[in-house]
Amino acid sequence: MKYFNEKIETMPKEELRALQERKLIETVRYAYGHSPFYKKKFDSIGLKPEDISTLDDLKKIPFTVKTDLRDNYPYGFNAVGMDKIVRIHASSGTSGKPTVVTYTDNDLEMWSECVARLCTMAGVDKSDIAQVAFGYGLFTGALGLHQGLEKIGATVIPASSGNTERQIMLMKDLGTTVLIATPSYALYIAEMIEKLGYDIKDFKLRIGLFGSEATSVEMHKELERRLNIVSTDNYGLSELIGPGVAGECLEKNGMHINEDCFLVEVLDPNTLEPVPEGEYGELVITALGKEAMPILRYRTKDITRILPGECACGRTFRRLDKFHGRTDDMLIIRGVNVFPSQIEGVLM
């Protein structure tokens, strides 16, 4: 079994909890002392940093939501001066101003480490040639995966998205072994390979690292069949850091959360109270140790659950199930909750 950072990834649970507790206390004090947004938010409810002394105190911290970031566009969430900022990313801003996210050198190092772990757990190593078919730019996906793959020592082809015939030419001629893309674009690549008359057995592809879309089990099976690969899922949000929050190992039994860097809660979206382990709810995440832009208790609106039990890979990090949708795209049909991902599964 391959690990990128075996000591952290297999840390005994009691040690991991102690590490999380220490980092939470440090993160809260840092956010209060350096972020005008969080100082104002804490002061408005009379919460002091010293009130957070255990993981059980996490529930005392108010939630952060996407509109908070938009309302503080562009730099209202920064906890450092611009002289410490080395990278800026942003969301697409399809519903208004984009969500701007900033990074210090230390943030980029943490991000690269998290992505390197999820790439390694998917089976990538330094002998691989990885083709990044995400669009490069303000979107976090391309550069996030790129820097993590380079940290492992893999060879990276920054192909970007689009121009599919050229993608396929590069894939075949350069001996690509790992494809990084959205699942829907990877499926389109598979269709084009067939349309152009290529035999997939003439390619060296072996792993697909897919993200940026909620994907059904059926979609992954279709990608594995048509591209002759192991298809893995990974998860992240620009607001928290980008890709690297969680990813699948080769056991393919949920996505391991990088728990030394992210505290996760699964809450009932109506009551905002914790649900029992194994039950579905809204994912809420606190980033531990971010410098440029600390984020506490961010409501992702993503619906998932924590999978019970241990993983055979030996990692002690808990696992997220595949996402069932979002609280803002759920349909209620004849009293039954239906998510688009369920419809995709049937169609596939």
Side-chain angles (χ1 to χ4, degrees):
M1 189 59 64
K2 294 178 181 177
Y3 306 98
F4 182 75
N5 189 334
E6 185 173 356
K7 181 180 178 182
I8 294 292
E9 294 174 70
T10 62
M11 183 178 284
K13 288 191 177 293
E14 59 275 12
E15 289 183 30
L16 177 59
R17 183 178 174 85
L19 175 63
Q20 289 177 318
E21 200 158 74
R22 176 176 60 77
K23 291 183 80 170
L24 174 63
I25 292 168
E26 291 172 354
T27 297
V28 167
R29 289 179 179 172
Y30 177 82
Y32 184 80
H34 294 81
S35 167
F37 171 82
Y38 281 112
K39 186 176 191 309
K40 183 178 179 181
K41 204 169 184 71
F42 276 41
D43 288 347
S44 69
I45 60 171
L47 184 66
K48 299 295 181 186
E50 53 267 27
D51 295 333
I52 310 301
S53 58
T54 72
L55 291 181
D56 293 333
D57 293 326
L58 184 63
K59 61 181 180 289
K60 298 177 183 178
I61 300 172
F63 296 107
T64 305
V65 295
K66 197 176 190 79
T67 52
D68 290 328
L69 279 78
R70 288 201 179 118
D71 291 346
N72 286 274
Y73 173 90
Y75 298 131
F77 255 78
N78 281 6
V80 298
M82 289 305 296
D83 60 326
K84 299 275 183 66
I85 301 295
V86 297
R87 177 92 64 82
I88 296 173
H89 282 282
S91 68
S92 60
T94 51
S95 55
K97 292 282 191 181
T99 301
V100 173
V101 286
T102 55
Y103 303 80
T104 64
D105 275 327
N106 288 336
D107 292 335
L108 291 184
E109 180 58 35
M110 181 187 84
W111 190 11
S112 299
E113 162 89 15
C114 287
V115 174
R117 290 180 198 170
L118 73 84
C119 292
T120 302
M121 71 175 73
V124 182
D125 61 34
K126 62 183 179 181
S127 68
D128 277 301
I129 299 172
Q131 187 162 325
V132 181
F134 281 143
Y136 279 74
L138 290 173
F139 168 58
T140 56
L143 282 167
L145 268 297
H146 186 130
Q147 63 198 18
L149 288 160
E150 285 189 338
K151 193 171 183 68
I152 289 171
T155 303
V156 181
I157 305 169
S160 199
S161 58
N163 200 341
T164 307
E165 290 192 30
R166 183 170 177 269
Q167 294 273 4
I168 293 167
M169 179 192 73
L170 292 172
M171 205 175 293
K172 188 172 185 298
D173 294 349
L174 302 182
T176 299
T177 58
V178 180
L179 175 63
I180 293 91
T182 61
S184 56
Y185 187 50
L187 188 59
Y188 181 66
I189 289 174
E191 291 169 355
M192 283 298 293
I193 287 173
E194 294 165 10
K195 184 178 177 180
L196 294 169
Y198 290 111
D199 185 340
I200 194 62
K201 292 178 182 176
D202 293 333
F203 291 73
K204 294 183 179 179
L205 282 176
R206 66 185 195 92
I207 296 170
L209 282 164
F210 302 126
S212 296
E213 296 171 351
T215 316
S216 63
V217 172
E218 291 81 6
M219 170 71 103
H220 280 276
K221 287 180 179 177
E222 184 75 355
L223 287 167
E224 290 187 329
R225 182 182 70 82
R226 296 176 77 165
L227 288 172
N228 195 30
I229 57 171
V230 174
S231 171
T232 64
D233 213 352
N234 61 78
Y235 175 71
L237 298 91
S238 296
E239 297 89 335
L240 291 161
I241 200 162
V245 173
E248 275 187 313
C249 70
L250 292 176
E251 296 295 327
K252 299 192 70 174
N253 185 23
M255 295 180 287
H256 288 278
I257 307 154
N258 277 313
E259 288 197 276
D260 60 321
C261 298
F262 303 99
L263 273 180
V264 301
E265 306 167 80
V266 179
L267 308 181
D268 183 306
N270 297 313
T271 65
L272 298 178
E273 292 296 324
V275 300
E277 186 175 80
E279 291 191 12
Y280 288 98
E282 180 181 348
L283 184 65
V284 174
I285 307 180
T286 297
L288 300 174
K290 275 186 70 182
E291 281 186 337
M293 210 175 112
I295 296 286
L296 307 177
R297 298 195 84 194
Y298 184 74
R299 290 189 62 180
T300 68
K301 297 192 176 183
D302 291 320
I303 300 294
T304 186
R305 62 176 178 155
I306 299 290
L307 291 171
E310 306 296 324
C311 185
C313 76
R315 290 175 178 83
T316 52
F317 292 160
R318 292 181 298 165
R319 291 160 294 127
L320 291 176
D321 200 358
K322 288 192 180 297
F323 291 89
H324 272 222
R326 291 173 55 80
T327 58
D328 53 4
D329 70 9
M330 182 182 76
L331 308 173
I332 301 176
I333 302 173
R334 294 179 183 175
V336 178
N337 295 347
V338 178
F339 294 98
S341 58
Q342 294 171 305
I343 298 168
E344 179 193 84
V346 174
L347 291 173
M348 291 304 296

